[in-house]
Amino acid sequence: MTALPKTRRTGGAAVGALRGAWRRSRPVDRVAYKVGALLFGSGLVHLVVLVVSGTSWEGPLSYRKAMTFGLSFGLTVATLTWATSFLRMSARLRSVLLGAFTAVSVVEVALVTLQVWRGVPSHFNFETGFDTAVSMTLAMGGAVITATVLAFTGAALRPAAGLPASMIFALRFGLVVLLGALVVGALMIADGVSLARGGDPQLAYTTAGTLKPVHAVTMHAILVVPALAWLLRFTAWPERRRTLVVRLVSAAYVLVIAAVWLVFG
């Protein structure tokens, strides 16, 4: 019998591992994955709306905002669900944290999308009582998301028996960088609220916009680096080499973040 090419065997093993992980996943994980898919789908729908409508890609009223929030939160919910499944922590605590992260993500995307369709800014908007409530809810949602990621990061930084060193490093790196993304988001909100309350909402949107590229790049390190570490498990490389590759890619990721900060920050 002719042996299958190595790349095909590796790909088949990875797909099989994903199927096995789905079968073993807890109910909260399956709900989170489905919610992530729905949010991502919402982003795709708004991409179509944006293209078909021919409206601007820029500004706080653009359908682009509903698109990016849907895509980003959908991807992040699914990624965090998968990544935290490797952490050594209480199943009940993880379920609570993941449930909170997922629920708040739905609220964030729903409110941003609602405001886009209403034709008003979702952030830094204090024109009416309802708009103020939306802006403050979005800010409080960011605080909840930060608290959950902080708890997951704390769990990742504790000693973890049974996990390859490459995956441990990747999870820690991804979560720490994700935490950094949330700090950047908090700075965007704090500066924007201060400027909007001071009577200059346009400057608030402009100032916050300069940090968007850095925020976007740092948001998804939790997907890129752990996914690489996971895929390397299906190679014949020794763990030392896999860890070295993950560390090098992480260092390169930091350089990308720094470059984006210098160019756009």
Side-chain angles (χ1 to χ4, degrees):
M1 181 180 294
T2 304
L4 291 173
K6 188 174 181 179
T7 53
R8 182 178 295 183
R9 294 200 304 271
T10 301
V15 172
L18 287 175
R19 289 174 177 170
W22 172 259
R23 288 193 297 268
R24 296 189 301 272
S25 62
R26 297 184 175 92
V28 67
D29 295 63
R30 297 194 178 201
V31 170
Y33 283 130
K34 291 175 182 177
V35 168
L38 288 173
L39 296 179
F40 194 85
S42 172
L44 292 177
V45 167
H46 283 91
L47 171 60
V48 174
V49 171
L50 181 59
V51 172
V52 172
S53 66
T55 54
S56 173
W57 287 71
E58 302 298 328
L61 306 183
S62 173
Y63 289 111
R64 171 199 51 78
K65 195 165 187 180
M67 176 196 75
T68 55
F69 265 70
L71 294 176
S72 185
F73 269 97
L75 190 60
T76 302
V77 167
T79 300
L80 198 67
T81 303
W82 172 77
T84 58
S85 68
F86 294 99
L87 299 181
R88 299 296 184 262
M89 62 188 307
S90 162
R92 177 175 295 182
L93 175 59
R94 178 176 174 273
S95 295
V96 170
L97 294 173
L98 186 58
F101 186 93
T102 303
V104 172
S105 296
V106 172
V107 173
E108 295 277 309
V109 174
L111 289 179
V112 168
T113 302
L114 172 65
Q115 294 295 74
V116 168
W117 281 96
R118 290 182 65 228
V120 298
S122 54
H123 292 81
F124 322 137
N125 183 359
F126 307 104
E127 293 297 322
T128 68
F130 180 79
D131 293 329
T132 299
V134 169
S135 293
M136 297 310 295
T137 299
L138 290 171
M140 289 186 291
V144 173
I145 288 173
T146 301
T148 59
V149 173
L150 185 61
F152 283 132
T153 304
L157 294 176
R158 291 196 293 268
L163 276 180
S166 55
M167 179 57 82
I168 293 173
F169 183 89
L171 291 170
R172 290 172 177 173
F173 176 83
L175 285 166
V176 168
V177 175
L178 177 58
L179 199 57
L182 297 176
V183 171
V184 172
L187 292 174
M188 293 166 61
I189 292 174
D191 287 346
V193 168
S194 176
L195 290 169
R197 291 287 194 185
D200 198 344
Q202 187 57 48
L203 182 59
Y205 301 125
T206 303
T207 302
T210 61
L211 293 175
K212 284 180 182 177
V214 176
H215 183 62
V217 172
T218 50
M219 277 287 290
H220 300 297
I222 186 60
L223 169 61
V224 174
V225 181
L228 171 65
W230 183 78
L231 288 171
L232 289 174
R233 295 168 59 185
F234 300 97
T235 69
W237 288 357
E239 179 57 25
R240 177 179 293 183
R241 181 182 296 180
R242 295 199 295 265
T243 302
L244 176 61
V245 170
V246 170
R247 288 178 181 271
L248 290 174
V249 170
S250 299
Y253 205 102
V254 171
L255 292 177
V256 170
I257 294 171
V260 172
W261 183 282
L262 289 173
V263 172
F264 298 100

